[in-house]
Amino acid sequence: MNLNVLCAALKLLYYVVLILYHGLDFVMDWYSFHIELTDETISGVPANSIAVKVLFGFSCVCCTICTAALLRVYAYYIKYHFLYLYVAAFEDYGPVGPVEGSASIQISDDELRENASLFIENGRKTVVDPKYPLAELVISVAELTLKDDIQSGLLFWVSTAYTFTRQLSWHSLLFSICSLLAHLKLFICFVTKLFRLGEGENVCGDRSRWDFKCCLCVFGCIGSATFEGLTIAYLVKALQA
């Protein structure tokens, strides 16, 4: 298989996995909040506190908003990489589409067909619209501070302030794993943007805009790494209870 085709396929798969993860994370957040309201426990720890409920509920609302916004960005990335994959396959294996032997790329959507032509004319150097990587960065910072850090902080705090009264349930374990994956995903996101490793990251605009992105990336890396450690500390204590 051609390397360009393989890379495009892997990138498509990556964003599909991210969408599935966000769906699972969304469900586990709201389910855990439901458990907190009904059973007054958070991941196996009694937490009959109004402050915990308010913070947890706030983080779930932020999760919903950030997830919806990120899905919009991921949909754009998937469309971009699908087109990249389509053109790479066309160049290597010939026409792709319902009309056998056609000399043109068979894409039903006019916009996709036009973009495919641009890809070929420019040697597949068409860049991602820079507003999407920037939007992803800003949304990721919001997700980190308003959702993941709050939840990881709550997990760590209740594990030190209260005593585990039961073994970790399946949903508590899954919620904790989602928290770990969230910080890992965000850390990877911030690192790739800081070192301009992702699609469209080289288009950064003026100096002030790049400085702004660097500050957000550094803040995100430190925050995600720190609260990843707190989540691990909670999970170790919970598994030993």
Side-chain angles (χ1 to χ4, degrees):
M1 179 181 291
N2 182 277
L3 185 60
N4 290 327
V5 175
L6 179 61
C7 289
L10 289 176
K11 289 175 182 178
L12 273 175
L13 178 62
Y14 173 72
Y15 286 111
V16 170
V17 171
L18 280 183
I19 289 175
L20 294 176
Y21 155 75
H22 275 284
L24 175 63
D25 187 54
F26 171 81
V27 172
M28 292 312 304
D29 277 4
W30 283 106
Y31 183 75
S32 297
F33 182 58
H34 167 72
I35 296 297
E36 165 62 20
L37 292 178
T38 57
D39 198 30
E40 295 188 337
T41 61
I42 175 172
S43 291
V45 183
N48 184 15
S49 168
I50 296 297
V52 171
K53 294 177 181 178
V54 170
L55 284 174
F56 205 157
F58 174 76
S59 71
C60 290
V61 172
C62 292
C63 168
T64 303
I65 297 172
C66 291
T67 297
L70 283 174
L71 289 182
R72 174 68 182 89
V73 175
Y74 294 159
Y76 172 82
Y77 288 158
I78 287 175
K79 179 180 178 181
Y80 175 87
H81 289 300
F82 174 77
L83 183 59
Y84 194 101
L85 174 64
Y86 200 102
V87 173
F90 173 80
E91 291 184 340
D92 285 341
Y93 305 112
V96 181
V99 182
E100 185 176 355
S102 172
S104 61
I105 300 177
Q106 299 299 318
I107 304 178
S108 58
D109 186 85
D110 290 338
E111 181 183 358
L112 283 178
R113 189 183 299 111
E114 180 182 353
N115 288 341
S117 299
L118 289 175
F119 263 68
I120 295 175
E121 291 174 6
N122 298 326
R124 279 196 258 102
K125 293 182 180 179
T126 302
V127 297
V128 171
D129 188 337
K131 71 180 181 182
Y132 285 97
L134 180 60
E136 182 188 15
L137 175 59
V138 173
I139 296 168
S140 295
V141 171
E143 181 186 24
L144 173 70
T145 55
L146 302 178
K147 184 255 185 187
D148 292 319
D149 284 359
I150 289 177
Q151 292 179 357
S152 294
L154 284 176
L155 288 177
F156 181 77
W157 178 73
V158 297
S159 68
T160 56
Y162 299 93
T163 303
F164 286 89
T165 58
R166 66 189 70 174
Q167 289 185 331
L168 210 59
S169 62
W170 68 267
H171 57 80
S172 297
L173 179 61
L174 191 55
F175 175 74
S176 302
I177 292 174
C178 283
S179 295
L180 290 174
L181 292 177
H183 290 297
L184 178 61
K185 182 214 73 166
L186 288 171
F187 185 80
I188 293 173
C189 171
F190 294 130
V191 168
T192 55
K193 291 182 179 300
L194 182 61
F195 293 99
R196 304 183 183 183
L197 301 177
E199 296 286 347
E201 299 298 343
N202 287 325
V203 184
C204 58
D206 56 24
R207 178 69 184 181
S208 60
R209 183 176 179 180
W210 172 241
D211 290 341
F212 172 69
K213 290 181 67 175
C214 282
C215 290
L216 291 182
C217 290
V218 171
F219 171 80
C221 287
I222 295 173
S224 55
T226 300
F227 283 88
E228 179 86 325
L230 294 182
T231 307
I232 292 174
Y234 155 79
L235 192 55
V236 170
K237 186 174 182 180
L239 292 174
Q240 292 175 346

